[in-house]
Amino acid sequence: MPLTGTIEPRIINLGLEDERLSTTAAHLRLAITRTARRLRQEAGRELSPSQISALATIERHGPLTPSELADRERVKRPTATRVAAKLEEMGTIARTADPADARSSLLQITAGGRALLGRLRRRKTAYLAQRLSALEADDLAVLERASEVLERMLEDERL
């Protein structure tokens, strides 16, 4: 049974175009993975990658219940609950009673959490901007266009 949100692998006869797509996909996967790893390193050690992701999700979509956070992060509820507890302990999110369900709570970002995310984002953006500043104008234009295409691909996936 395929995982939610994944593409089930297929055995296909690779034609020239399919081989080109496969090669491009492999190169792109590697470049994105390496870039994401480097950006995580630039973010520092204040928060784990899971905590950064959860905090950003709460900022973007909150307030959220722990179950909604788990769904959006594609993790099990106990994992989301543990991450949220650590974020709450750090003062980056606040937990309030859910008026729609007394058994649940709502998670929302605090001013401190918003400030921390801002610092982490600025640090990662500065790293990328420094790297981009060394590129030729043509290469920079290619990356600008590629970022638009990648965003569109991801948006299409959400529909």
Side-chain angles (χ1 to χ4, degrees):
M1 179 178 201
L3 299 172
T4 304
T6 62
I7 298 172
E8 189 173 343
R10 299 177 297 168
I11 298 174
I12 56 175
N13 293 327
L14 289 177
L16 198 52
E17 188 63 24
D18 289 334
E19 192 170 328
R20 180 173 160 241
L21 288 175
S22 182
T23 299
T24 300
H27 287 155
L28 191 55
R29 175 191 46 78
L30 181 59
I32 289 170
T33 300
R34 291 179 66 201
T35 301
R37 182 182 316 120
R38 190 63 184 97
L39 289 174
R40 280 193 305 274
Q41 292 167 348
E42 282 300 315
R45 302 197 187 280
E46 294 173 82
L47 295 176
S48 72
S50 297
Q51 291 167 340
I52 293 171
S53 180
L55 187 58
T57 296
I58 293 167
E59 177 192 43
R60 190 176 312 112
H61 302 287
L64 297 172
T65 66
S67 293
E68 291 169 332
L69 176 61
D71 289 344
R72 288 192 176 274
E73 289 293 299
R74 294 183 175 177
V75 298
K76 298 208 181 297
R77 189 171 190 271
T79 301
T81 299
R82 276 194 304 277
V83 170
K86 185 65 177 170
L87 291 172
E88 184 179 18
E89 180 184 307
M90 296 170 72
T92 58
I93 66 168
R95 186 183 304 261
T96 58
D98 183 349
D101 183 354
R103 300 166 297 160
S104 188
S105 58
L106 293 174
L107 310 171
Q108 62 187 55
I109 194 166
T110 63
R114 198 174 309 282
L116 177 57
L117 271 182
R119 280 194 313 276
L120 298 177
R121 288 173 177 151
R122 284 189 299 277
R123 198 178 297 158
K124 292 187 280 188
T125 298
Y127 165 78
L128 278 177
Q130 179 184 13
R131 300 300 298 243
L132 293 173
S133 71
L135 296 178
E136 298 291 329
D138 289 349
D139 288 340
L140 185 57
V142 167
L143 289 177
E144 289 171 343
R145 177 74 178 116
S147 67
E148 294 167 3
V149 171
L150 287 169
E151 280 296 322
R152 190 173 63 244
M153 282 174 39
L154 293 171
E155 286 299 319
D156 290 349
E157 188 176 271
R158 290 183 196 153
L159 300 177

